């Protein structure tokens, strides 16, 4: 922690999420500010990390959702930074109802953070860095926006998806290995294609083999409720497992839950085929069971206490059905 705290004193600091969109957003920001130090964080940890910063001239935060539990404290802390440094908060997650936008807050929900980061720093970036933004868009299922579709025309689409797939698979395969993720940022910020980053192709191959194991595991163990299907403790990528839970459970929503023994909670990854707003439902249901949840309308996550998982799943399933009925009227 000491080294991390020392790095948080850097003149230019980038705080970003550790998924493919966050890594690509961070790489774009680092391309605009080559001397910046990059630190990975999350919505739950952001306020804590901000409190570690003693001095910074430019602070860039990418792809970190606003946790509604800390919305007031976070706004206060960020307001102080905005008075003392150049602050850029770039995000695309739905906002808590009581969270208002500020001048330094660059926010759109219809695009990924990578696209938004490129647009914010476009004057400081090579036009070819759009390719990195496209990787992030593909990884975040946001490659169908008008700008990304226009940017893709400048490249061989097949090559783009190969490079993006290589990057995304390797990132998922390495999980929370943030040191590995940090090694990706430097070459990506210089527009090095993922297949030319050492070991990435082999990692992507391993990830593909592992994904087949996940698929077969979910196929055998998935359980279906009325509106959703779920699988518990695959001991593997829960985002992948959630996708296959919906597929093999033949339901609109797929859920994968993994038990975290040290914290006594289940972490959930949830994927929808687009008919209901997962973010809205989770924000209303999860707190009733002592948990938290949110994200995007079709891709979200939650953290639920161990003893509440079964009751949460059934309440969540019921809310999905109610939301579908409202939408059909």
């Amino acid at each position: 922690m000491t080294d991390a705290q020392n790095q948080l004193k850097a003149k230019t600091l980038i705080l970003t999420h550790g998924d493919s969109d966050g890594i690509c957003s961070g790489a774009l920001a680092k391309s605009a500010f080559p001397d910046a130090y990059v630190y990975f964080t999350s919505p739950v940890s952001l306020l804590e990390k901000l409190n570690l910063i003693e001095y910074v001239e430019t602070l860039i935060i990418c792809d970190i959702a606003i946790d509604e539990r800390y919305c007031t404290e976070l706004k206060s802390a960020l307001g102080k930074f905005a008075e003392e440094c150049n602050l850029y908060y770039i995000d695309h997650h739905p906002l808590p109802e009581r969270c208002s936008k500020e001048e330094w807050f660059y926010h759109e929900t219809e695009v990924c953070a990578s696209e938004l980061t490129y647009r914010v720093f476009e004057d400081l970036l090579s036009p070819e860095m759009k390719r990195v933004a496209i990787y992030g868009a593909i990884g975040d299922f946001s490659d169908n926006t008008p700008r990304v579709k226009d940017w893709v025309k400048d490249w061989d689409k097949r090559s783009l998806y190969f490079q993006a797939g290589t990057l995304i698979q390797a990132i998922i395969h390495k999980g929370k290995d943030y040191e590995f993720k940090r090694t990706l940022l430097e070459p990506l910020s210089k527009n090095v294609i993922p297949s030319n980053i050492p070991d990435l192709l082999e990692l992507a191959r391993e990830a593909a083999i592992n994904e087949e194991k996940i698929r077969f595991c979910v196929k055998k163990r998935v359980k279906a409720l009325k509106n959703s299907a779920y699988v518990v403790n695959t001991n593997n990528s829960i985002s992948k497992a959630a996708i296959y839970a919906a597929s093999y459970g033949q339901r609109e929503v797929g859920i994968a839950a993994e038990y975290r023994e040290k914290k006594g909670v289940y972490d959930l990854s949830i994927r929808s085929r687009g008919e209901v707003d997962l973010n809205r439902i989770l924000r209303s249901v999860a707190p009733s069971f002592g948990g938290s949840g949110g994200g995007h309308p079709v891709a979200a996550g939650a953290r639920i206490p161990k003893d509440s998982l079964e009751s949460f799943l059934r309440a969540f399933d019921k809310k999905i059905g109610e939301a579908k009925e409202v939408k059909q009227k």
Side-chain angles (χ1 to χ4, degrees):
M1 179 64 80
T2 302
D3 290 342
Q5 289 178 356
N6 288 338
Q7 294 290 357
L8 287 174
K9 298 177 183 177
K11 288 184 178 180
T12 302
L13 185 64
I14 299 168
L15 304 181
T16 194
H17 196 209
D19 66 358
S20 54
D21 189 26
I23 289 172
C24 290
S25 298
L28 289 162
K30 187 167 177 60
S31 184
F33 298 87
D35 295 331
Y37 178 79
V38 180
Y39 194 90
F40 293 103
T41 187
S42 67
V44 176
S45 303
L46 179 58
L47 188 59
E48 175 188 345
K49 299 301 180 292
L50 291 175
N51 289 334
L52 293 175
I53 299 174
E54 296 183 8
Y55 172 78
V56 66
E57 292 182 0
T58 300
L59 175 60
I60 303 166
I61 302 170
C62 301
D63 197 30
I64 305 293
I66 301 289
D67 190 320
E68 58 188 329
R69 294 172 297 175
Y70 312 116
C71 182
T72 302
E73 297 94 322
L74 190 59
K75 182 178 179 181
S76 176
L78 290 168
K80 292 177 181 177
F81 279 106
E83 293 174 359
E84 299 173 358
C85 74
N86 299 312
L87 175 62
Y88 302 86
Y89 199 122
I90 304 169
D91 186 48
H92 66 135
H93 295 88
L95 292 175
E97 292 182 1
R98 57 195 177 93
C99 183
S100 59
K101 291 185 181 181
E102 301 292 339
E103 185 179 356
W104 38 263
F105 193 34
Y106 301 85
H107 179 262
E108 291 183 32
T109 57
E110 301 302 318
V111 304
C112 69
S114 297
E115 177 184 331
L116 197 51
T117 302
Y118 180 87
R119 286 161 49 193
V120 170
F121 297 126
E122 185 169 5
D123 292 343
L124 301 175
L125 294 170
S126 161
E128 293 192 349
M129 287 300 292
K130 291 175 185 174
R131 182 165 63 175
V132 176
I134 295 170
Y135 300 155
I138 294 171
D140 214 56
F141 303 102
S142 300
D143 52 318
N144 202 36
T145 68
R147 278 189 177 84
V148 172
K149 288 196 293 186
D150 187 55
W151 294 346
V152 167
K153 294 175 185 177
D154 291 332
W155 308 89
D156 184 327
K157 185 175 183 178
R158 297 164 298 182
S159 297
L160 280 174
Y161 278 79
F162 169 71
Q163 296 296 339
T166 297
L167 178 67
I168 295 158
Q169 290 284 66
I171 290 169
I172 293 174
H173 194 55
K174 293 295 283 186
K176 295 185 178 181
D177 187 342
Y178 295 118
E179 288 306 314
F180 163 76
K181 293 178 179 183
R182 191 170 286 110
T183 66
L184 299 179
L185 268 146
E186 188 69 32
L188 283 174
S189 72
K190 296 177 180 178
N191 203 22
V192 175
I193 56 176
S195 60
N196 274 357
I197 298 175
D199 301 324
L200 220 59
L201 276 173
E202 180 57 28
L203 284 170
R205 176 181 174 276
E206 292 175 8
I209 294 171
N210 188 58
E211 183 171 341
E212 283 293 88
K213 295 178 182 177
I214 298 171
R215 186 173 69 84
F216 287 124
C217 176
V218 174
K219 185 177 182 180
K220 291 179 181 179
R221 294 171 51 186
V222 67
K223 296 181 180 180
L225 298 173
K226 186 175 181 180
N227 302 290
S228 62
Y230 69 94
V231 64
V232 179
N233 289 338
T234 60
N235 298 314
N236 220 310
S237 168
I238 57 175
S239 62
K240 298 276 191 182
I243 293 170
Y244 290 118
S247 175
Y248 286 113
Q250 296 185 325
R251 294 295 185 268
E252 180 181 333
V253 174
I255 306 166
E258 198 74 33
Y259 183 54
R260 308 302 184 195
E261 186 173 1
K262 290 183 178 179
K263 297 183 178 180
V265 300
Y266 280 94
D267 281 344
L268 279 63
S269 180
I270 307 172
R271 296 293 183 267
S272 168
R273 302 192 178 203
E275 293 300 317
V276 297
D277 187 334
L278 295 178
N279 172 67
R280 185 181 298 276
I281 297 173
L282 280 171
R283 287 182 184 272
S284 67
V285 177
S288 300
F289 294 89
S292 61
H296 299 290
V298 298
R303 174 165 285 183
I304 303 298
K306 173 185 175 182
D307 296 334
S308 299
L309 180 65
E310 292 294 329
S311 53
F312 164 79
L313 289 172
R314 279 157 179 75
F316 181 59
D317 186 80
K318 182 180 179 181
K319 286 293 185 181
I320 294 171
E322 292 173 359
K324 287 170 63 176
E325 289 177 4
V326 170
K327 194 165 185 178
Q328 290 168 0
K329 288 181 180 179

